[in-house]
Amino acid sequence: MSEHLAKIADRFQLPGRFVSAVRYGSGHINDTYLVELDDAGARKRCILQRVNHAVFRNVDGLMDNIVRVTEHIRHKLSQEQDPDISRHVYSVLPAKGGGWYARTDGDEYWRALTFIEGAHTYDVLETPEQAYQAAKAFGRFQSLLTDLPGERLCETIPSFHDGPTRLRQFHEAVQEDRCNRARFVRKEIEWVREHESILLSLASALRSGLIPERISHNDAKINNVMLDDASGAGVCVVDLDTVMPGTGLFDFGDLVRTCVVDTAEDEPNPALVTADPRRFEALVAGYLASAGAFLTEAEIRHMVVAGKMITMMIGLRFLTDFLRGDVYFRIHRDGHNLDRCRTQFALVDRLNEQHDVLEAIVRKHAALP
Ligand code: GN1
Ligand code: MG
């Protein structure tokens, strides 16, 4: 693999000579490597990533989105005279012949990105302060994109967060039952039927115009924001593949999904899943600190349901993939997608139990009656 990676690295304009590479991060879709480079004796690092082309069919559109978004953010940060721009937004490193990715003879799509030093991501949150910082960083990311000029961003995966579409795909997978696995998940199928209204909630508010369309990250889980090693502050939002038109509520929802728990996304025992209202409160405070200025009251009033909706939708996508034979999300053990699904559904139950407490937290922070 290292030889292959060295060849891939050679296709890009990198700030040094390839030394070595290790697998990096815990993404379920792309293959990510942290590359060590030698720049006349100085050690440098960058990211090389193979884009999953089965998932992202339009790599040109995908890279165009990312370049537009990162350039716009860089432009805004320079207007603000930010002294640390290269750590606050990453850059796409161009291929040698030009262009933002390299396609191999084996039909692999690769890209190179700058690596943010002195910061880390966390798969499971350690303190409420981290929830605050993560939410503030995603809110800030959204606010920087409220005035992105030019055409509407391309939908890198159409209907990505559309509840009715995800429900239909799930029903098709149950009907087809191509791996004869539906018999293992009767309880989950029933649970989905009972909770359908949560899944459909944001879609109808978006369609009716009650909630405005905005550019959102669409994968705002805790491990997609780098927190500063020294100060703990949010430094840079990463994994921009799904930045596209949506609603900021998708991002707030994903923050709830991944920050109010202290279990991993794939915790095998769903009975261990709890939802900590203090962490929820930290998320609300952090998100409103950076996004409060542009959010409408209708958006704010959907924050609690957004947490349930995104958690349910991602659980449903894991279940759909389990039924289809684990063809989408990378798995590391048998039943992995089913564990992931059960943990998400358990969290929706916990959020439902605390519904009134969570709504009161939002109202308090937004000063709403
Ligand atoms: C996938 O690959 P990764 O881990 O960044 C998925 C997200 C899910 C997430 C669940 C393109 O993201 O939608 O929320 O797994 N990305 C895509 O952890 O489907
Ligand atoms: Mg992602």
Side-chain angles (χ1 to χ4, degrees), residues 49-70:
Q49 206 168 35
R50 178 169 51 202
V51 177
N52 184 329
H53 184 231
V55 168
F56 297 105
R57 305 298 306 166
N58 176 4
V59 181
D60 286 293
L62 169 78
M63 293 312 293
D64 188 54
N65 276 4
I66 295 179
V67 169
R68 278 179 62 196
V69 161
T70 51

Side-chain angles (χ1 to χ4, degrees), residues 26-219:
S26 46
H28 303 330
I29 309 286
N30 296 324
D31 297 303
T32 308
Y33 297 86
L34 179 57
V35 177
E36 201 160 315
L37 304 165
D38 177 271
D39 179 23
R43 192 190 80 137
K44 294 209 170 136
R45 299 199 283 184
C46 74
I47 293 286
L48 269 187
Q49 206 168 35
R50 178 169 51 202
V51 177
N52 184 329
H53 184 231
V55 168
F56 297 105
R57 305 298 306 166
N58 176 4
V59 181
D60 286 293
L62 169 78
M63 293 312 293
D64 188 54
N65 276 4
I66 295 179
V67 169
R68 278 179 62 196
V69 161
T70 51
E71 279 178 357
H72 180 68
I73 292 179
R74 239 187 319 281
H75 172 69
K76 303 251 317 203
L77 296 181
S78 80
Q79 281 180 333
E80 291 175 11
Q81 303 187 327
D82 180 334
D84 209 6
I85 296 177
S86 64
R87 287 182 79 233
H88 291 159
V89 57
Y90 71 65
S91 297
V92 183
L93 298 165
K96 275 185 178 159
W100 299 112
Y101 63 89
R103 185 175 171 183
T104 67
D105 297 339
D107 214 24
E108 294 178 359
Y109 291 74
W110 288 85
R111 66 183 166 206
L113 312 169
T114 56
F115 180 68
I116 311 294
E117 298 286 355
H120 275 92
T121 57
Y122 296 79
D123 283 334
V124 179
L125 203 82
E126 289 162 2
T127 64
E129 172 66 13
Q130 290 176 332
Y132 177 88
Q133 292 296 345
K136 195 171 159 198
F138 277 108
R140 165 108 171 116
F141 177 79
Q142 290 171 4
S143 83
L144 287 166
L145 294 174
T146 49
D147 61 351
L148 180 81
E151 279 171 37
R152 193 171 180 265
L153 290 177
C154 107
E155 292 189 36
T156 55
I157 302 178
S159 304
F160 189 60
H161 276 151
D162 184 52
T165 303
R166 294 300 186 183
L167 198 58
R168 184 173 42 72
Q169 292 168 343
F170 165 69
H171 287 310
E172 283 166 9
V174 174
Q175 276 302 311
E176 196 182 350
D177 196 15
R178 76 169 75 129
C179 302
N180 196 20
R181 288 179 171 179
R183 63 206 161 109
F184 303 128
V185 294
R186 291 290 163 216
K187 255 175 51 194
E188 285 72 20
I189 294 173
E190 181 53 23
W191 186 96
V192 173
R193 204 187 53 74
E194 285 165 6
H195 293 79
E196 243 178 58
S197 62
I198 295 177
L199 197 69
L200 304 177
S201 56
L202 287 190
S204 47
L206 266 169
R207 237 165 243 153
S208 70
L210 179 62
I211 293 175
E213 179 180 284
R214 296 188 194 280
I215 297 172
S216 47
H217 180 284
N218 295 303
D219 194 8

Side-chain angles (χ1 to χ4, degrees), residues 29 56 217 219 221 224 239 241-242:
I29 309 286
F56 297 105
H217 180 284
D219 194 8
K221 49 183 180 179
N224 275 335
D239 186 2
D241 291 325
T242 48

